[in-house]
Amino acid sequence: MIIVKIGGNILDNPERLQAFLLDFAQMPGPKVLVHGGGKIASALGQKLGITPKMVEGRRITDAETLDLVTMVYGGLVNKNVVAKLQALGCNAIGLTGADANIIPAQKRPVREIDYGFAGDVAGPESINADALEFMLEAGLTPVFAPLTHDTKGSMLNTNADTIASVLATALAHKYKVQLVYSFEKKGVLQDAADDASVIPYITAGKYKLLKETGVVNAGMVPKLDNAFAALQQGVAQVLICEGEALPSINTRQYSGTTLSLN
């Protein structure tokens, strides 16, 4: 099965989103889609007088912002994606981590920075995989918004890359899982200024070297940390590519980055 995470660069562009969802809908077998939506939330928040608060690229989720992202991620973005997939013949069901208790989480502890209502997922063992498997076996395609819950009645804003990773590892005991991170670049780049410098294959050892030499840095580090954590916990393969590469991922024409342990 395949789990695909899409980011704002696709969600913000109606033509790219439609093309991506057509490719996703046509993929055979069980599949899960995880989406972000931060840019859309920020833009709508500005219209409502809610200024986004960011520290090191991470959103501070105060009570007002939590209401905003719950509405935007779990409502506007999620249901629009589900409706578009239905129109393409893909029987999608829109979910947050609160639905069927699939992804319980904990409010991030306050350390140097108070991230507010940000959720940290304990790990794949906390996922209600039985409920997710039930939906997949019923022929449904889950579409997850980047929201979890604290089991005490509060929603939590949670990183979409992390959600994709923990869902993949939770399902790896039953399925051969392919995890795809689709983002704005063609893959992991040797030179951030050169979009053609895609590194086609990265092992755990090579990743360590790329971090040490600064080739991989900033926002790409947590993405790859999540990816290698998933591989260590049974996920068969992790791919990082642009959305347009989705139809080619299992062919010789695939041009993104493939991650493996060795």
Side-chain angles (χ1 to χ4, degrees):
M1 72 161 298
I2 187 166
I3 295 178
V4 183
K5 184 266 176 174
I6 58 169
N9 64 304
I10 293 175
L11 293 167
D12 299 340
N13 185 314
E15 292 77 19
R16 287 191 74 188
L17 177 61
Q18 188 64 29
F20 171 87
L21 292 177
L22 177 60
D23 291 335
F24 179 79
Q26 292 176 340
M27 301 191 79
K31 49 187 177 281
V32 175
L33 185 62
V34 181
H35 65 77
K39 291 181 181 178
I40 297 171
S42 295
L44 187 57
Q46 294 279 18
K47 292 180 182 178
L48 297 173
I50 302 171
T51 303
K53 305 174 185 70
M54 311 291 286
V55 176
E56 297 176 352
R58 292 177 179 265
R59 188 181 299 270
I60 304 297
T61 309
D62 57 18
E64 188 177 46
T65 302
L66 180 64
D67 286 347
L68 172 68
V69 298
T70 300
M71 289 188 290
V72 174
Y73 299 163
L76 180 64
V77 176
N78 188 267
K79 299 314 173 190
N80 280 338
V81 169
V82 168
K84 291 179 186 301
L85 285 172
Q86 293 293 356
L88 294 168
C90 177
N91 196 6
I93 180 169
L95 300 167
T96 71
D99 296 295
N101 193 33
I102 291 177
I103 316 176
Q106 294 179 330
K107 185 174 179 290
R108 185 170 300 159
V110 177
R111 296 192 177 95
E112 294 86 3
I113 300 167
D114 182 357
Y115 286 100
F117 292 94
D120 291 328
V121 184
E125 68 284 349
S126 66
I127 302 297
N128 185 356
D130 289 343
L132 193 52
E133 289 166 21
F134 179 82
M135 294 180 198
L136 291 166
E137 289 167 9
L140 295 170
T141 295
V143 178
F144 278 92
L147 296 164
T148 58
H149 75 125
D150 66 358
T151 73
K152 300 171 186 175
S154 177
M155 297 298 291
L156 296 169
N157 184 13
T158 302
N159 181 272
D161 287 349
T162 301
I163 287 178
S165 176
V166 296
L167 290 176
T169 53
L171 291 170
H173 74 284
K174 181 165 184 176
Y175 300 93
K176 182 179 180 182
V177 179
Q178 200 173 34
L179 174 59
V180 179
Y181 286 114
S182 174
F183 77 138
E184 66 273 12
K185 301 294 185 181
K186 294 181 182 296
V188 181
L189 303 180
Q190 183 72 39
D191 178 358
D194 181 4
D195 285 347
S197 65
V198 175
I199 305 171
Y201 202 80
I202 301 177
T203 62
K206 185 171 184 178
Y207 175 46
K208 181 181 179 183
L209 182 61
L210 290 171
K211 280 200 295 186
E212 289 173 351
T213 56
V215 172
V216 173
N217 55 56
M220 186 57 71
V221 171
K223 189 180 293 288
L224 292 187
D225 283 348
N226 273 324
F228 278 102
L231 289 168
Q232 289 164 354
Q233 296 178 78
V235 172
Q237 189 180 60
V238 180
L239 306 175
I240 297 179
C241 59
E242 61 181 353
E244 287 76 5
L246 197 61
S248 71
I249 58 174
N250 292 316
T251 72
R252 291 185 178 181
Q253 283 71 47
Y254 174 67
S255 58
T257 299
T258 300
L259 307 181
S260 70
L261 293 178
N262 49 51

